[in-house]
Amino acid sequence: LDTLLNEQFFDEYITYSKIGGGGMGVVYLARDRRLGRFVAIKRLNHQAQTNPSLRQRFLQEARAVAALSHVHIIHIYALGEDDDGPYIVMEYIAGPDSAKIHADQQESGLVKPNNPLTLDQYINERGQLAMDDAVALMIKISRAVAYAHSCGVIHRDLKPSNILLDKTSEPKIVDFGLARLRQPSEDQLTVPGEKLLSLGYGAPEQESDASMTDERSDVYGLGAVLYFVLTGQNPRYFREQDIPIQLREVLVKALATDKELRWPSAHAFSEALIQVQNKTRIEVPTVKTTWRCKWCDAVNPL
């Protein structure tokens, strides 16, 4: 039976190379033989396969994302299993064009797609975003997270490395490996006292008890990502003076240690960003008469 399962996989997909990996999963570039399109195939690593809880969480990730249909959330095509364990076949997100990527595209006569580009790679290579660009990006991501919440899915691991940029630099949220579903079966996977977080991006309640997380944990993650794209710094070392004054109130509220003081939902956070965006467009002066000191934040006449 294992041989038949493995043969069936290779009849359907050609695997080329490893393109990513995390705590429990490995992702490969592959091509669907029947449809002729490139896909990403995620598998459990060997260590995770021996853990029944991680195996169940892996399968839950596939079901969680498969239920979602949003332009800024990665799409799941199939879930399968062979003698190498379970696997998820998903949309392949090719990154923006660049000379560096094109140099290694050609292999054995096959033109491969651009390598994936994560948001943290983009910021580390090109520098932090201007405020208007950061707000526009985070509105898209926040709306996608709000949609996931409306479908009963909490991501719980929002961070720049889990956001890919496609060829047109549009964001795609990936890696729902720590996602929590608002249903009784989740209680068996997230036990009281379990810690699930990425340092700097995980909400404080995830550091003490992941079973207490809700939509506001993702609001914290959204605020943390916004801080990173504005400053290039890990939000674990958050400093209010590093944030543009127009965004301070919105971002400080998103990153509140007490979740009761945060924005109540991703939708509320996105609406707050839209208000900042609209206010900035209206209040931009036609003549610059002041300058702000980057060290003490004082506003001075020119």
Side-chain angles (χ1 to χ4, degrees), residues 94-153:
D97 292 335
S98 73
K100 183 178 180 181
I101 292 174
H102 280 304
D104 62 0
Q105 273 188 312
Q106 191 78 22
E107 182 180 305
S108 302
L110 176 71
V111 177
K112 292 185 179 179
N114 295 347
N115 294 331
L117 180 68
T118 63
L119 183 57
D120 62 331
Q121 290 173 331
Y122 182 89
I123 297 298
N124 290 333
E125 291 173 5
R126 308 190 189 186
Q128 57 263 44
L129 301 182
M131 190 189 79
D132 289 346
D133 294 334
V135 169
L137 175 72
M138 291 309 302
I139 288 173
K140 295 175 182 178
I141 296 171
S142 299
R143 284 175 167 170
V145 171
Y147 164 77
H149 290 173
S150 72
C151 297
V153 178

Side-chain angles (χ1 to χ4, degrees), residues 134-246:
V135 169
L137 175 72
M138 291 309 302
I139 288 173
K140 295 175 182 178
I141 296 171
S142 299
R143 284 175 167 170
V145 171
Y147 164 77
H149 290 173
S150 72
C151 297
V153 178
I154 304 170
H155 191 285
R156 294 200 297 185
D157 198 20
L158 292 170
K159 56 185 178 182
S161 60
N162 281 342
I163 297 169
L164 297 181
L165 299 177
D166 68 13
K167 293 192 70 172
T168 60
S169 296
E170 290 295 317
K172 291 272 191 177
I173 302 174
V174 301
D175 200 346
F176 283 72
L178 297 185
R180 183 181 189 187
L181 306 183
R182 290 198 300 259
Q183 59 186 36
S185 61
E186 167 61 25
D187 296 335
Q188 301 170 4
L189 297 178
T190 306
V191 297
E194 184 181 10
K195 298 179 181 180
L196 295 172
L197 81 163
S198 296
L199 290 179
Y201 297 95
E205 61 269 19
Q206 291 178 252
E207 195 164 354
S208 57
D209 188 351
S211 67
M212 300 300 293
T213 57
D214 57 21
E215 288 89 343
R216 291 168 293 182
S217 301
D218 278 353
V219 170
Y220 187 97
L222 290 168
V225 172
L226 176 55
Y227 182 80
F228 172 77
V229 299
L230 286 169
T231 67
Q233 303 297 318
N234 188 303
R236 190 169 182 81
Y237 309 105
F238 170 76
R239 296 191 308 171
E240 186 175 332
Q241 61 266 34
D242 291 338
I243 308 166
I245 194 167
Q246 303 96 316

Side-chain angles (χ1 to χ4, degrees), residues 63-108:
R63 298 186 185 104
V65 187
L68 305 178
S69 179
H70 193 281
V71 66
H72 295 305
I73 296 177
I74 195 166
H75 294 122
I76 295 292
Y77 297 144
L79 172 65
E81 185 167 2
D82 59 14
D83 57 337
D84 291 324
Y87 59 87
I88 303 172
V89 183
M90 65 187 81
E91 178 184 12
Y92 181 83
I93 310 299
D97 292 335
S98 73
K100 183 178 180 181
I101 292 174
H102 280 304
D104 62 0
Q105 273 188 312
Q106 191 78 22
E107 182 180 305
S108 302

